[in-house]
Amino acid sequence: MKTFLLSVATLLTLLSVKAQQISGLVKGPDGQPLKGASLILKRTKDSTTVKLAVTDASGLYRLQAPSGNYFLTASHVGYEIKDPVPVSLTDTGITQMPDLVLLKAVKNLKEVAIIATRPLIEVHTDKLILNVGSSLTAIGQDGLELLRKAPGVTVDQNGGLMLNGKNGVQIYINGKPSPLSGDDLAAFLHSLQASQIDAIEIIANPSAKFDAGGSAGIINIRLKKNTAFGTNGSVNAAYSIGSHSSYSTGLNLNHRGGNTNIYGTYNFNDRKSAGYLNTDRVLGDTAFNQRYNQLNHLITHNLQAGLDQQLNKTSSAGFIAGGSFTSYNTDGSSTTPITFIPTGQVKKLLLAGNHTARQRNSGSFNANYRYADQNGHTLGIDADYDLFRISNDQLQPNNYYDGSGNTFLYGNTYHILSPTAIDIFSLKADYEQNLWKGKLGFGAKVSATDSKNDLKQFNILAAGDVFNNALSDNFEYKEQIQAVYLNYNRDWKHWTVQLGLRAERTSAKGLSMPYSSAPDSAFNRDYTGLFPSGALTWKATEAQQWTLNFSRRLDRPSYSFLNPFVYRIDDYNAKAGNTQLQPQYTNSLSLAYLYGQKLNISLNYSHVTGVFAIEADTVGHSRYVLINKNLAKQDITSLTASYPIELKWYSAQINLNSYYSRYQSPGINLSTYALEAFLQQDFDLGKGYRAELTTLYNSPAILQGTFKSKANSDVDVGLQKSLFAGKGSLRIAMTDIFHAQKNQVTSTVSGQQLQTSSGGETRLLRVAFNYRFGSNKVKPAKRHQTGAEDESRRTN
């Protein structure tokens, strides 16, 4: 905490240092503004690239840099590069540049190599981007660890995600929603290494072009893709050690020549980590004090290959195939004294184990077509097939002793098999064209999901395994979604407007079939919703901009939430699905202010109905089961602010996110003020050395509707040395230096007092090496987004 306060004090001191702003217009030979022109600002002394920028729809660009002497160049596809223009910045504020006029190219321009360091965080009016590749302390970390540190993102004790205090976050991978949820999503995020991730995009108010799912917003994890021309690639390796050691390695290959691009990646991860979960429950006159420890071992192979082919000047086609093969084993043990509170006497002692072998294998296949002409007509068509095969093999012994722990009383041992098979098909088309001095887009999508889940429980007795049909079940779920949308954008001199409307129809069928009886739980649901969205931006001055956003969204229950199976930790602790779970709906409104392309302040309000909340339900006045229910409505108001600092040798990014959240329903009336503060500082030490200090603080908050969390924090430090003329790098980092990244929550719902504390191996020493080989000449490459979306995210 002292480190955090010191870092904030340092940052506030430096806020008085103002970078100077350059602005101007880029035009063509006909005098018309050029949208999408590239600007490069370089230092006169050593030609070091200081800033990059792209012109907006009105041909306007803005750049910021400290006082000094520079030169500026402009370029655009089909036009000659503008000769360098000298720029001298003083402390006079905004420098208005003369118009930069580009001439039509008379010959093909050669590819050029551009190397620039991106800021860790980029703040835009519609999204926030966390550039993982720019972070030194991200080495050796996985996707879930990185999300814990993303501004506005909270990961609770069960691996659930919240954004700005709201649950219902939709996770995308390369523009395509993840097909997993719950434990399976957490395991998948653990399998993604920082070396694979280019950036994390946080989109709080998605447009109508996105699926209506994701009431809290979208988090898109963008994996790295090589955009260089020629044959090239990279290799990486990382090693981490805490109580246990882990390592990862990867290979990226790319060939781009002529009209063809072929690429492939492979990443391997072997991770061991210890964790604990301490649960103290008081129910009536009895206390249950569980101490649970586990060792996790995850081994993952991720691979992907793709082909992009330019068919002619306006059309291209591509194919992408990928797979993930994960083995995730857990060995856990717990001790639970069961105490009669009036006398303080331990009545029984439960010693339990939890040994689970999981296999999570998946495959994805995408075929796509793209059309784009010079008149602004674009068409994209995607066909996707995703399959998931998940198996869980769990051995769960429960042995009871007397209060002294010396005399064995009895035992229950279970062997549970629960395979899952999921298949998802989707087809979507998106079209855009220039219309009414703006851009009109519309599209359609259809998807079909088939999920088969089987749970078989065996009681292990002296005579052998005995099938328990009373606790075994089979659950089948089928879902179809049809969607259409319309979206319009237009720019004026000082105004930009975006309006959209999306319609989605959902048809779902679920059937629970216990082995002991006829089907006991079936449902058929058919519902249609309209989901408007819009944004209005006013460019008050060259330096000031206001944006008003609104949207209506929904969250369908994930497939694991609907699955009625009961998964045990021991005889007294379990979690289960709920076939009666309904969608939750969110209406959001936000006002954002941007000054000088640096200071960003945003005020947001959301009203959520039918909130997915976790209730710790009591069974038989002793056991408790975590169940997702539509328990409450939520009102949440948030205020966020961010500001970057850029000096010659020092840069920093500060993000503050505060919100007030209130949950209300029969039996629940919880409210809280919460604050998240994030500070990242980068130091250029010269001679190829860089250092980084990252600090995160989370105040108490409400998680999943019924749990109150305590404050936690995290401090990371890293050092990098560039090698081999910039083609390689060696990084070393220490994460969670003060070992303060812990989850502590309390709850008083369901007539019991509950307190849990959980944590794992977060204080780690990490070392990583990366080397790039081959051509490094940049050539624009399309970043493809596939079509299987919201339905995939909810898979279990």
Side-chain angles (χ1 to χ4, degrees):
M1 188 62 187
K2 291 181 179 179
T3 302
F4 172 75
L5 294 176
L6 178 60
S7 300
V8 171
T10 302
L11 178 60
L12 293 177
T13 301
L14 291 170
L15 284 175
S16 60
V17 179
K18 294 183 179 180
Q20 308 309 309
Q21 179 170 298
I22 311 165
S23 65
L25 290 173
V26 178
K27 297 180 178 180
D30 56 358
Q32 295 299 311
L34 285 179
K35 177 182 178 181
S38 299
L39 284 301
I40 304 176
L41 183 69
K42 294 187 177 183
R43 188 178 289 110
T44 302
K45 180 179 179 180
D46 54 11
S47 298
T48 301
T49 298
V50 177
K51 265 297 186 182
L52 304 175
V54 178
T55 58
D56 61 17
S58 60
L60 179 66
Y61 65 88
R62 296 184 182 90
L63 291 165
Q64 286 193 332
S67 300
N69 296 317
Y70 306 91
F71 59 88
L72 180 68
T73 61
S75 63
H76 193 285
V77 177
Y79 294 84
E80 296 282 6
I81 294 178
K82 178 67 177 178
D83 291 335
V85 177
V87 180
S88 180
L89 296 183
T90 61
D91 295 332
T92 58
I94 297 175
T95 299
Q96 184 66 37
M97 297 291 296
D99 294 349
L100 301 178
V101 180
L102 302 185
L103 302 177
K104 282 284 187 179
V106 296
K107 60 180 180 180
N108 292 330
L109 300 177
K110 295 182 179 180
E111 312 293 345
V112 297
I114 300 175
I115 301 175
T117 300
R118 296 178 298 172
L120 178 63
I121 294 180
E122 297 177 41
V123 180
H124 304 265
T125 55
D126 60 337
K127 62 185 174 183
L128 182 148
I129 303 175
L130 180 65
N131 289 310
V132 176
S134 298
S135 174
L136 304 186
T137 59
I139 62 169
Q141 298 191 33
D142 60 45
L144 194 62
E145 291 174 314
L146 293 171
L147 285 178
R148 289 183 188 276
K149 300 173 183 179
V153 179
T154 302
V155 182
D156 67 20
Q157 75 281 9
N158 298 307
L161 297 172
M162 293 170 51
L163 179 59
N164 297 327
K166 295 181 290 183
N167 60 5
V169 179
Q170 184 164 350
I171 296 293
Y172 277 60
I173 307 295
N174 277 347
K176 174 181 175 181
S178 167
L180 303 174
S181 62
D183 292 340
D184 291 311
L185 176 59
F188 174 73
L189 292 174
H190 275 310
S191 72
L192 286 178
Q193 296 303 294
S195 58
Q196 298 173 249
I197 300 174
D198 179 53
I200 295 174
E201 299 175 337
I202 301 174
I203 308 171
N205 294 288
S207 69
K209 188 173 182 178
F210 291 90
D211 280 5
S215 60
I218 290 171
I219 298 176
N220 180 35
I221 300 176
R222 204 171 67 208
L223 303 182
K224 291 180 178 178
K225 184 176 181 180
N226 197 321
T227 59
F229 186 82
T231 301
N232 47 73
S234 65
V235 292
N236 63 80
Y239 177 78
S240 303
I241 186 165
S243 299
H244 301 84
S245 60
S246 303
Y247 64 93
S248 62
T249 186
L251 172 66
N252 178 303
L253 294 174
N254 183 78
H255 175 75
R256 183 183 297 275
N259 294 321
T260 303
N261 181 37
I262 303 174
Y263 56 92
T265 62
Y266 169 75
N267 286 275
F268 172 78
N269 178 37
D270 188 319
R271 173 191 175 101
K272 286 185 179 180
S273 64
Y276 69 90
L277 172 64
N278 297 332
T279 304
D280 296 298
R281 292 189 301 126
V282 174
L283 185 60
D285 59 5
T286 305
F288 303 83
N289 304 105
Q290 182 196 57
R291 298 296 178 265
Y292 176 73
N293 293 281
Q294 68 179 28
L295 177 64
N296 304 310
H297 189 191
L298 179 145
I299 298 176
T300 300
H301 302 267
N302 287 326
L303 62 156
Q304 186 181 75
L307 169 67
D308 293 329
Q309 180 67 45
Q310 194 71 34
L311 304 177
N312 50 49
K313 292 183 178 180
T314 58
S315 301
S316 65
F319 181 79
I320 306 171
S324 178
F325 307 93
T326 301
S327 170
Y328 188 36
N329 298 325
T330 299
D331 289 303
S333 62
S334 66
T335 301
T336 307
I338 303 172
T339 306
F340 183 59
I341 296 175
T343 64
Q345 180 183 4
V346 178
K347 297 188 298 184
K348 287 188 296 186
L349 184 67
L350 170 61
L351 301 181
N354 197 322
H355 312 288
T356 305
R358 302 179 180 93
Q359 292 288 330
R360 294 183 173 92
N361 300 327
S362 64
S364 60
F365 306 89
N366 167 267
N368 59 83
Y369 171 79
R370 294 291 181 269
Y371 172 87
D373 63 21
Q374 294 182 345
N375 297 319
H377 300 88
T378 65
L379 173 65
I381 300 175
D382 284 276
D384 286 271
Y385 170 55
D386 295 277
L387 60 91
F388 303 86
R389 300 297 182 260
I390 305 168
S391 66
N392 289 275
D393 187 340
Q394 181 183 19
L395 181 64
Q396 214 269 295
N398 297 267
N399 295 313
Y400 293 87
Y401 294 80
D402 65 3
S404 67
N406 296 320
T407 304
F408 176 76
L409 302 177
Y410 61 93
N412 301 314
T413 302
Y414 313 108
H415 184 200
I416 303 168
L417 302 175
S418 53
T420 295
I422 303 169
D423 295 274
I424 302 174
F425 300 87
S426 74
L427 178 66
K428 76 166 186 173
D430 300 284
Y431 175 78
E432 281 189 343
Q433 70 171 49
N434 297 324
L435 186 68
W436 303 319
K437 299 182 180 180
K439 182 79 72 174
L440 177 68
F442 56 89
K445 175 188 170 182
V446 294
S447 67
T449 300
D450 186 4
S451 175
K452 294 182 175 64
N453 309 268
D454 190 18
L455 184 144
K456 295 179 181 178
Q457 178 169 311
F458 300 85
N459 297 334
I460 299 181
L461 305 176
D465 291 5
V466 177
F467 181 62
N468 188 333
N469 60 1
L471 296 178
S472 300
D473 198 351
N474 189 290
F475 178 66
E476 294 187 7
Y477 181 78
K478 296 180 182 293
E479 180 183 83
Q480 293 185 354
I481 300 174
Q482 299 91 38
V484 293
Y485 76 88
L486 187 68
N487 198 68
Y488 178 72
N489 292 273
R490 181 175 174 180
D491 293 324
W492 284 272
K493 183 176 181 181
H494 294 288
W495 295 89
T496 299
V497 65
Q498 177 267 315
L499 293 172
L501 180 64
R502 189 178 185 93
E504 292 193 354
R505 177 177 181 265
T506 305
S507 300
K509 296 181 180 180
L511 181 63
S512 175
M513 297 172 289
Y515 280 87
S516 60
S517 61
D520 69 338
S521 178
F523 60 85
N524 289 276
R525 295 173 187 154
D526 196 318
Y527 52 93
T528 301
L530 294 177
F531 304 96
S533 64
L536 179 65
T537 299
W538 175 44
K539 299 175 184 176
T541 66
E542 292 292 334
Q544 299 185 71
Q545 177 175 302
W546 296 83
T547 301
L548 181 67
N549 277 285
F550 74 90
S551 66
R552 172 175 169 80
R553 305 186 69 78
L554 91 161
D555 280 296
R556 301 176 182 88
S558 69
Y559 310 140
S560 64
F561 287 1
L562 293 168
N563 190 331
F565 297 169
V566 176
Y567 294 94
R568 287 188 181 88
I569 297 176
D570 61 27
D571 269 346
Y572 286 95
N573 299 272
K575 57 183 177 180
N578 178 10
T579 59
Q580 303 306 309
L581 202 59
Q582 301 287 334
Q584 70 176 21
Y585 292 84
T586 300
N587 294 295
S588 298
L589 183 68
S590 71
L591 178 64
Y593 172 71
L594 181 64
Y595 179 79
Q597 298 298 311
K598 300 187 77 172
L599 175 64
N600 188 288
I601 301 174
S602 179
L603 178 64
N604 307 273
Y605 170 76
S606 296
H607 177 72
V608 189
T609 57
V611 173
F612 297 155
I614 295 179
E615 182 180 46
D617 199 9
T618 56
V619 180
H621 301 288
S622 59
R623 299 172 173 83
Y624 88 100
V625 180
L626 296 176
I627 303 176
N628 281 277
K629 295 183 179 181
N630 300 105
L631 285 182
K633 65 179 181 179
Q634 181 188 21
D635 290 284
I636 181 166
T637 302
S638 65
L639 179 66
T640 63
S642 66
Y643 189 84
I645 295 175
E646 297 172 2
L647 302 176
K648 180 178 180 180
W649 60 273
Y650 174 86
S651 63
Q653 175 76 38
I654 185 169
N655 285 76
L656 298 175
N657 177 42
S658 61
Y659 64 86
Y660 172 77
S661 177
R662 184 165 189 171
Y663 292 84
Q664 287 181 300
S665 75
I668 298 177
N669 189 358
L670 297 175
S671 62
T672 187
Y673 291 95
L675 171 70
E676 178 192 273
F678 176 89
L679 176 63
Q680 181 266 340
Q681 301 176 85
D682 192 287
F683 306 85
D684 185 347
L685 306 179
K687 296 184 179 180
Y689 286 95
R690 281 179 56 208
E692 180 180 292
L693 176 64
T694 303
T695 309
L696 175 69
Y697 170 77
N698 291 305
S699 74
I702 294 178
L703 307 178
Q704 301 297 326
T706 60
F707 295 93
K708 291 184 177 181
S709 70
K710 294 185 178 180
N712 62 63
S713 62
D714 177 41
V715 177
D716 301 342
V717 64
L719 179 68
Q720 172 181 289
K721 177 65 171 75
S722 295
L723 304 170
F724 309 117
K727 290 188 175 183
S729 65
L730 180 65
R731 299 180 178 184
I732 183 170
M734 174 69 76
T735 59
D736 195 13
I737 295 173
F738 302 107
H739 207 209
Q741 195 181 114
K742 300 175 182 178
N743 295 308
Q744 300 179 75
V745 301
T746 59
S747 175
T748 57
V749 179
S750 302
Q752 68 175 340
Q753 296 178 11
L754 174 67
Q755 180 173 326
T756 71
S757 176
S758 61
E761 289 188 55
T762 54
R763 181 162 57 190
L764 297 166
L765 177 65
R766 306 175 188 266
V767 180
F769 174 76
N770 183 78
Y771 181 75
R772 300 184 302 274
F773 55 87
S775 171
N776 64 350
K777 292 183 179 179
V778 174
K779 182 176 182 178
K782 65 177 184 178
R783 182 176 296 281
H784 184 66
Q785 296 183 355
T786 57
E789 297 187 351
D790 179 55
E791 61 284 346
S792 297
R793 171 185 63 90
R794 300 180 296 117
T795 308
N796 191 349

